[in-house]
Amino acid sequence: MKINRIQKIRELLEDTHSISINTLCETFNVSKYTIRRDINELEQTGFLKKVYGGIVLQEHEHQSPEPFSLRKSRNVQAKKKIARIAASLVKDGDIIYIDSGTTTMHMLSFLTKHQHLTIVTASVYVINAAAALNQFNIIATGGTLYVPSMAFVGPTVLNCLKDYNISKAFMASTGVSIEHGATNASPLESEIKRSLMGKAAQKFLLADTSKLDVASLMSYCKLKDLYGVIMEKNPPAHYVEYLENNHVSLLTKEISSISSLK
């Protein structure tokens, strides 16, 4: 019944804080038209907010992402060091995914010595920077532009990622904690990051230490699910211990060969 379905949507949203329309359709085995009618009713009560492709709990509206232009000017030197370390993991002929983020974007300038490198990305910044260097094979996912991150989101991105075998994925996040893992403030970007975590690739998280003990709106992976975590310096001891216990490589310096990991 409709009233029961709407109540269940409320309960799910209170638990998860954000849900995609596709997930709701699968959960209740109804059409998108039906789900959108239910969402419109709930939106009128002020309980939720509609975003592209899904809904978020209204009380979390204040956690919407900061504009890209503000985030990219923060901790620049730490981000560049992390990007240099990440680039040292790349080999000639790799097919890599560079996530949208103000740390991952710095990787491009450190990849210029590589040959036959394919870069898959949803980041507008990475697309433009890679194209300007005129030496990489660039695969842009397409999709709907999400201005706060200057990146593409939506089903087009997810469908694109299904088609490619990626050897290494360099992931970004807005918060990192042992309890919540790698987190992001955008439900739509989180959906893309979860999709990447499901691929048979080495997944590396690039995060400066200012993001530690911060939990954004949505978790997209546990730290133990990563192949490696790259930071500008060693995190507190309990993070080091957690990563060691879960066989996740912690990288704070450039390496000469990826075979030296783990």
Side-chain angles (χ1 to χ4, degrees):
M1 292 179 61
K2 175 182 176 181
I3 189 168
N4 293 334
R5 188 173 59 247
I6 289 178
Q7 179 58 34
K8 185 61 177 178
I9 292 173
R10 290 180 64 98
E11 293 172 0
L12 288 171
L13 195 55
E14 285 173 345
D15 288 339
T16 62
H17 304 300
S18 66
I19 314 175
S20 71
I21 289 176
N22 287 339
T23 297
L24 289 172
C25 291
E26 292 173 2
T27 300
F28 298 104
N29 194 27
V30 295
S31 67
K32 288 185 178 181
Y33 174 77
T34 299
I35 285 297
R36 288 194 175 105
R37 283 192 310 175
D38 296 342
I39 288 173
N40 288 337
E41 288 193 25
L42 284 168
E43 185 183 33
Q44 292 175 7
T45 69
F47 178 74
L48 60 80
K49 177 183 176 182
K50 288 190 290 188
V51 295
Y52 181 84
I55 54 176
V56 296
L57 197 61
Q58 184 64 40
E59 67 182 47
H60 289 273
E61 183 177 8
H62 66 281
Q63 293 189 15
S64 58
E66 288 182 280
F68 186 87
S69 58
L70 294 179
R71 290 184 287 118
K72 73 177 183 179
S73 61
R74 189 176 300 137
N75 300 325
V76 173
Q77 293 308 310
K79 292 174 179 179
K80 286 183 177 180
K81 179 179 179 181
I82 292 167
R84 183 189 291 272
I85 297 169
S88 74
L89 304 174
V90 178
K91 299 187 299 183
D92 289 351
D94 269 346
I95 302 170
I96 66 172
Y97 184 87
I98 299 182
D99 200 7
S100 57
T102 57
T103 302
T104 48
M105 72 178 194
H106 289 292
M107 288 183 64
L108 271 298
S109 61
F110 301 115
L111 293 172
T112 54
K113 294 182 179 180
H114 289 284
Q115 298 181 354
H116 311 297
L117 186 64
T118 297
I119 297 173
V120 184
T121 188
S123 166
V124 173
Y125 182 96
V126 172
I127 293 168
N128 290 335
L133 292 170
N134 196 31
Q135 67 182 91
F136 304 116
N137 179 29
I138 307 165
I139 299 176
T141 64
T144 301
L145 181 62
Y146 182 63
V147 174
S149 294
M150 290 305 295
F152 295 113
V153 296
T156 301
V157 182
L158 299 175
N159 289 333
C160 176
L161 293 177
K162 292 177 183 177
D163 293 334
Y164 297 106
N165 296 317
I166 295 168
S167 50
K168 300 179 182 77
F170 296 95
M171 311 294 294
S173 72
T174 52
V176 180
S177 67
I178 292 176
E179 181 181 4
H180 297 286
T183 60
N184 190 268
S186 164
L188 294 172
E189 285 194 298
S190 294
E191 188 173 19
I192 294 168
K193 295 173 194 292
R194 287 198 193 102
S195 175
L196 283 161
M197 289 303 300
K199 296 190 75 66
Q202 294 173 343
K203 275 81 70 172
F204 296 92
L205 176 65
L206 283 62
D208 64 81
T209 51
S210 71
K211 295 178 180 178
L212 292 175
D213 298 324
V214 175
S216 295
L217 179 62
M218 297 189 71
S219 298
Y220 69 83
C221 78
K222 297 178 180 179
L223 298 185
K224 66 180 182 180
D225 296 331
L226 295 160
Y227 189 86
V229 174
I230 308 174
M231 294 184 167
E232 83 281 12
K233 62 183 180 181
N234 280 335
H238 62 287
Y239 279 94
V240 175
E241 181 180 5
Y242 175 89
L243 295 175
E244 287 181 351
N245 289 342
N246 288 281
H247 310 291
V248 179
S249 296
L250 173 62
L251 300 169
T252 57
K253 296 180 180 179
E254 292 177 65
I255 67 168
S256 57
S257 171
I258 194 161
S259 62
S260 64
L261 291 181
K262 298 194 174 184

